[in-house]
Amino acid sequence: MSLFDGIESNVAFYSRLYPAVFNSSEGVYIFDVQNRRYIDFLAGAGSLNYGHNNPILKKKLISYIESNGVTHGLDMMTLAKKEFLSVFHEKILKPRNLSYIVQFTGPTGTNSVEAALKICRNVTGRQNIIAFTNAFHGVTLGSLAVTGGRFYRAAAGVPLNNVFRLPYDGEHDNSFDSINYISEKLTTSNSEIDKPAGVIVEVLQGEGGLNKASIKWLQELQELCKRHGMLLIVDEIQTGCGRTGDFFSFEKARIYPDIVTLAKSLSGYGLPFAVALIKPCYDNWKPGQHNGTFRGNNLAFVTATETFKYYWKNSEFSEAVVHKSLLIKNRLKEITDKYEKHGFQHKGLGMMQGIDFMDGKVVNEICRNAFLKGVIVEPCGPTSNVLKILPPLIIDNSCLHKALDTIADSIDEVINNKMRC
Ligand SMILES: *Cc1c(COP(=O)(O)O)cnc(C)c1O
């Protein structure tokens, strides 16, 4: 650690939680310089759905580089981009009956969110965006404005406005109906709320504590948007690319968002790559109006294309994720049942589940303990109160059980230790 002290900015976060210097990685494993092996349930915060250095993707990538394939292409046409677009259309959009235009934004999630917000505002000529409590959409100013966390917002230094915040589904034990509330407000002629340009929502809040929206709520939200001419943005940056079983987490709700943001696991290889998917009727950009030097990461196009060809050619991968999700759920429920009197809550869905311990200190200790035992796992939620299980989707059952055993041991030790003092 001391190696980095005084040279790297104070802003580094994960390096404090996992104090090792890492050097290599393969599949679900990451190795430190002492060659200690860790099972990686942080998975690049959801960027490594297909594992570290996935051999299928690596092979394509190396051969593309060897053949002097274009690496940096701005937004020029390249063969790699052409293939990405056609395979994405063929394997992902078409089977789901979705017809989206693909906008290549800057390569980070937050930039695709910025683009999505601009589209809503430009298309409708309105300013307000409806966003939800505990949302996380990135940390550049526009995305930060729709993000909920005070901690992140406090760093902006300027007002973060033109956002109307509503409780997310299930917040306040369902005693407040956000959709009903806003629906009434927007319908009365004397409303104090300016008509919003759009709504941005996560189907499952990745950073916000694994809160999930119900199918009914999402459908009602879509209806509300239609009724009031607002665009619906679904942020799939963390939930997308199979994390909840389907390619998009909104599929089960059978909604059809106006804009979808994708990043994190899109390249499949941990390479930076983000897109905004836009319904054709809302693609009213002028050429170059939203740009970014690195929006043509052709290496990422090559690996992303291969993920669609290999993992999304049929339903096998998806089914395996559903199967492993159930396994995770059962294991986590065993833990919450065991500590029933503590009131710990199971959270999340798909391979994005966790436990709410209602205490950030406890979760931090569990993470540190698990790290010492060789499993990397992270906290999330408004007070880091939720332990988040985010394995690479390609993990096999025995490794999954092994890591969950370790996590269960880490939890037992921390909880029993706490009860002793
Ligand atoms: C990570 C994340 C973002 C931001 O993506 P970056 O690549 O970190 O800018 C936005 N929305 C969600 C849901 C995320 O998980």
Side-chain angles (χ1 to χ4, degrees):
M1 267 308 279
S2 59
L3 187 68
F4 297 96
D5 286 352
I7 304 172
E8 189 181 358
S9 161
N10 209 31
V11 80
F13 170 75
Y14 288 118
S15 57
R16 296 167 205 274
L17 197 54
Y18 317 116
V21 178
F22 298 100
N23 186 43
S24 63
S25 57
E26 186 179 357
V28 300
Y29 300 110
I30 184 162
F31 301 84
D32 70 15
V33 285
Q34 263 113 40
N35 223 20
R36 246 184 79 94
R37 188 178 84 172
Y38 303 84
I39 299 178
D40 186 4
F41 275 18
L42 173 61
S47 304
L48 294 165
N49 283 5
Y50 310 95
H52 287 272
N53 287 310
N54 182 303
I56 295 143
L57 310 181
K58 182 161 69 179
K59 199 163 152 237
K60 289 284 164 181
L61 184 59
I62 288 174
S63 101
Y64 183 76
I65 293 171
E66 287 283 350
S67 72
N68 281 333
V70 171
T71 295
H72 180 280
L74 289 169
D75 64 1
M76 291 187 289
M77 292 184 280
T78 60
L79 195 55
K81 185 196 264 194
K82 186 176 176 208
E83 287 216 355
F84 167 81
L85 286 170
S86 79
V87 177
F88 184 61
H89 180 77
E90 204 55 41
K91 301 278 188 238
I92 306 295
L93 297 181
K94 210 167 117 194
R96 291 166 181 77
N97 259 322
L98 302 168
S99 64
Y100 285 121
I101 297 284
V102 179
Q103 177 182 358
F104 296 88
T105 64
T108 58
T110 194
N111 197 265
S112 66
V113 171
E114 295 286 351
L117 297 172
K118 284 186 190 175
I119 293 167
C120 287
R121 289 171 169 140
N122 289 327
V123 164
T124 61
R126 306 172 188 167
Q127 285 84 48
N128 259 349
I129 303 283
I130 294 177
F132 295 97
T133 45
N134 293 313
F136 183 83
H137 299 294
V139 296
T140 53
L141 291 179
S143 309
L144 191 54
V146 285
T147 288
R150 173 60 40 196
F151 174 69
Y152 300 115
R153 295 174 68 83
V158 293
L160 298 170
N161 41 31
N162 298 315
V163 173
F164 188 80
R165 186 84 46 189
L166 282 170
Y168 188 71
D169 190 22
E171 179 118 356
H172 308 303
D173 297 323
N174 288 315
S175 64
F176 183 85
D177 186 338
S178 288
I179 295 178
N180 204 19
Y181 171 80
I182 191 71
S183 175
E184 280 181 17
K185 285 288 173 196
L186 294 179
T187 313
T188 57
S189 56
N190 196 24
S191 182
E192 60 278 72
I193 299 169
D194 296 332
K195 273 234 168 168
V199 176
I200 184 162
V201 69
E202 296 156 272
V203 170
L204 173 62
Q205 295 185 317
E207 299 307 298
L210 304 175
N211 312 305
K212 58 184 179 211
S214 70
I215 286 177
K216 180 168 164 277
W217 190 83
L218 290 166
Q219 290 173 345
E220 285 173 5
L221 191 62
Q222 174 170 270
E223 270 316 297
L224 178 84
C225 286
K226 284 196 176 136
R227 244 189 345 265
H228 297 284
M230 310 184 291
L231 272 56
L232 177 61
I233 306 169
V234 174
D235 182 345
E236 290 275 4
I237 291 171
Q238 193 160 154
T239 48
C241 307
R243 184 45 70 181
T244 68
D246 298 320
F247 187 86
F248 298 106
S249 64
F250 65 74
E251 289 175 45
K252 287 264 174 326
R254 296 185 314 280
I255 56 171
Y256 190 176
D258 299 304
I259 306 170
V260 179
T261 55
L262 272 179
K264 290 206 163 94
S265 273
L266 181 59
S267 78
Y269 204 73
L271 294 165
F273 182 22
V275 296
L277 308 177
I278 314 164
K279 276 190 185 162
C281 54
Y282 300 127
D283 180 33
N284 66 356
W285 287 114
K286 297 191 174 56
Q289 211 172 21
H290 185 91
N291 59 31
T293 306
F294 289 105
R295 68 198 186 283
N297 183 356
N298 280 255
L299 303 185
F301 300 163
V302 169
T303 52
T305 304
E306 195 57 23
T307 65
F308 307 145
K309 280 188 182 165
Y310 189 86
Y311 291 100
W312 298 96
K313 59 179 183 259
N314 55 32
S315 58
E316 241 170 69
F317 180 65
S318 210
E319 282 158 15
V321 171
V322 172
H323 181 80
K324 284 176 269 194
S325 304
L326 200 61
L327 189 158
I328 297 169
K329 189 171 182 178
N330 292 337
R331 294 294 310 267
L332 296 185
K333 286 253 161 114
E334 274 171 27
I335 297 170
T336 52
D337 285 351
K338 181 171 174 184
Y339 293 107
E340 201 185 347
K341 66 176 192 310
H342 289 73
F344 302 151
Q345 295 257 333
H346 169 265
K347 305 286 303 250
L349 72 122
M351 287 179 75
M352 195 168 162
Q353 300 182 46
I355 297 176
D356 185 353
F357 288 92
M358 298 160 310
D359 184 341
K361 277 210 198 79
V362 167
V363 178
N364 196 282
E365 274 176 56
I366 294 167
C367 293
R368 288 184 187 278
N369 197 13
F371 176 75
L372 296 175
K373 295 176 193 295
V375 175
I376 294 180
V377 59
E378 74 161 327
C380 68
T383 56
S384 304
N385 50 312
V386 177
L387 183 73
K388 182 183 186 186
I389 310 292
L390 205 69
L393 306 182
I394 46 98
I395 193 168
D396 64 43
N397 285 1
S398 81
C399 185
L400 185 54
H401 272 300
K402 188 166 160 264
L404 290 168
D405 287 343
T406 305
I407 290 169
D409 289 347
S410 307
I411 292 170
D412 286 344
E413 284 176 16
V414 170
I415 301 299
N416 293 331
N417 202 17
K418 200 167 156 261
M419 288 194 305
R420 265 204 298 278
C421 11

